[in-house]
Amino acid sequence: MLRLGFHLSISGGVANAPAAAEREGYGAFQIFASNPRSWKHSPIDEEEAERFKEIIKSRGIVPFAHVPYLCNPSSSDSLINKKSTGMLIANIESCNKLGINGVVVHIGSHTGSGENTGVKTAANTIRNALENTEGASLLLENSSGYRNSVGSKFGQIAEILDKIDSDRAKVCLDTCHAFAAGYDLSSGAGVGEACDQFESSIGFGRLGVVHLNDAKYPLGSGLDRHWHIGKGYIGAAGFKAFFKQKQFREMSFIMETPVNKEGDADTNMREARRIAISAVGEKNVY
Ligand code: MN
Ligand code: MN
Ligand code: ZN
C-alpha cells in the first residue's frame, strides 16, 4: 500500500502526532522528536511513548522522525561536528523509544571546505553516530543543490552511503529538492529517467521514505522552496507519473507543504490522494 501523510506537530505531547494522523486518516507521518531549532534534546516521556506506540500499532500507521535543522554532518568545524554527532545519537535513541524505524537527516553544508571534504565529513559523522547506536536507521535526504549543500545528486549520495557502509544508512527522497537539483519530475519521461538514475546509483532498496512536495521555482533552481501539491512546477502530471512507478507501491509519502491559510493541509492531502488514486487505484492508497 502507498501511504500518504504529513509532517505533524508534537506540541502538547509526542503522542498528539499519531493521534492527529489517526483522526485525519493518514497512513504515515513525520515528527521532530525534539525542538527543531535547538541543540538541546528533550527526553521522551515514557507514558507518551506508550500511547504513541499503541496508536501506530493499532492503526498500522508508519511514523518517521526528522533531525533538527541545526544538525550539519558535513561541517568540518569540530564543535559543530561534535554537536551534530550527539544530536544524531540522541534522535536515534528517541526513535527507538517511540518505535520509529527511520529518522531523516539533512546531509548538510560543507560551508566552504569543498564538496570532497563535505562528502568525507558527512560519511564520517553519520558512520560514527550509527556505530554508537543500534535500532533506527538514518535516512539521508537529497538536497536542493543550494550553495555549499552536499548530496543534491544521487551519485554523490551513493558515494556517501558507500563510505558509511551500514545497512542502517538509507535515503529520503524529497521531490522538491530533486526537481530544484535538476531532476525533471514534471513529466513521465523525466520521472522515468530520474528513477533509472536513482536505481543505478543508490538503488530503491535503500529508499526509506519520500518527501512529497511540489516546487515553487523552476527546474534546476537550486532553491529549497516547497509548494502546494499540483500547484507548482512539478504539477499533477509529474506526481501521477511518480506514483505509477512500481518501486513506490509500499512507500510512505510525507508532505511538508506550506500552510499559507487554514485548510491548506486538507487541500494538499485531497489533491495528493486524488492523484495517487488516479495512478494506482483506491485500494492501493492509505
Ligand atoms: Mn528535510
Ligand atoms: Mn524534505
Ligand atoms: Zn525542503
Side-chain angles (χ1 to χ4, degrees):
M1 200 126 63
L2 186 158
R3 293 159 182 280
L4 298 172
F6 269 97
H7 183 94
L8 296 174
S9 163
I10 60 160
S11 78
V14 73
N16 286 353
E22 178 182 31
R23 194 171 60 235
E24 303 292 339
Y26 301 162
F29 68 94
Q30 174 180 284
I31 57 166
F32 287 118
S34 70
N35 185 339
R37 285 175 183 82
S38 164
W39 285 109
K40 267 223 302 281
H41 192 82
S42 23
I44 299 290
D45 179 89
E46 300 290 334
E47 255 173 60
E48 282 286 315
E50 286 314 308
R51 226 181 105 219
F52 187 103
K53 285 189 281 189
E54 198 183 293
I55 300 170
I56 57 172
K57 194 169 165 230
S58 67
R59 305 299 297 221
I61 302 170
V62 180
F64 295 91
H66 196 299
V67 175
Y69 299 127
L70 294 169
C71 185
N72 184 4
S74 300
S75 171
S76 297
D77 178 302
S78 62
L79 181 61
I80 298 290
N81 194 277
K82 196 172 154 215
K83 284 174 144 184
S84 295
T85 308
M87 188 176 254
L88 292 175
I89 292 171
N91 271 266
I92 290 169
E93 286 169 350
S94 287
C95 284
N96 290 343
K97 288 191 180 135
L98 293 167
I100 298 176
N101 293 326
V103 50
V104 176
V105 56
H106 292 176
I107 301 168
S109 163
H110 62 66
T111 65
S113 69
E115 287 201 23
N116 289 338
T117 306
V119 163
K120 273 187 218 138
T121 310
N124 282 334
T125 313
I126 292 166
R127 184 174 359 89
N128 192 358
L130 290 172
E131 279 173 357
N132 284 287
T133 51
E134 45 190 34
S137 297
L138 288 174
L139 312 178
L140 282 58
E141 181 168 0
N142 64 310
S143 70
S144 64
Y146 189 67
R147 201 163 56 100
N148 293 348
S149 70
V150 181
S152 64
K153 296 294 180 194
F154 300 156
Q156 192 166 67
I157 298 174
E159 213 183 305
I160 297 169
L161 291 171
D162 272 354
K163 290 187 198 301
I164 298 171
D165 191 25
S166 162
D167 292 344
R168 287 168 57 225
K170 295 179 182 160
V171 170
C172 163
L173 175 64
D174 187 306
T175 54
C176 167
H177 300 178
F179 188 78
Y183 297 98
D184 186 359
L185 303 180
S186 67
S187 72
V191 166
E193 201 179 304
C195 287
D196 286 350
Q197 285 187 41
F198 190 95
E199 179 61 33
S200 65
S201 51
I202 296 168
F204 279 99
R206 288 256 182 200
L207 183 63
V209 69
V210 170
H211 280 171
L212 192 77
N213 301 307
D214 212 328
K216 192 175 180 183
Y217 291 98
L219 179 66
S221 73
L223 295 172
D224 181 2
R225 294 287 184 283
H226 304 181
W227 203 236
H228 305 288
I229 303 299
K231 303 281 191 296
Y233 281 89
I234 295 176
F239 287 119
K240 183 171 179 180
F242 197 71
F243 284 132
K244 277 194 171 189
Q245 299 293 311
K246 57 181 182 310
Q247 297 94 331
F248 296 137
R249 279 304 173 87
E250 298 299 323
M251 191 51 59
S252 296
F253 295 83
I254 304 290
M255 284 175 270
E256 305 170 314
T257 46
V259 178
N260 302 116
K261 59 177 191 309
E262 211 187 318
D264 273 355
D266 292 342
T267 308
N268 279 308
M269 179 52 86
R270 259 199 308 278
E271 184 63 0
R273 196 170 288 285
R274 184 188 70 74
I275 299 168
I277 288 172
S278 79
V280 297
E282 192 154 16
K283 67 174 195 314
N284 293 312
V285 181
Y286 188 146

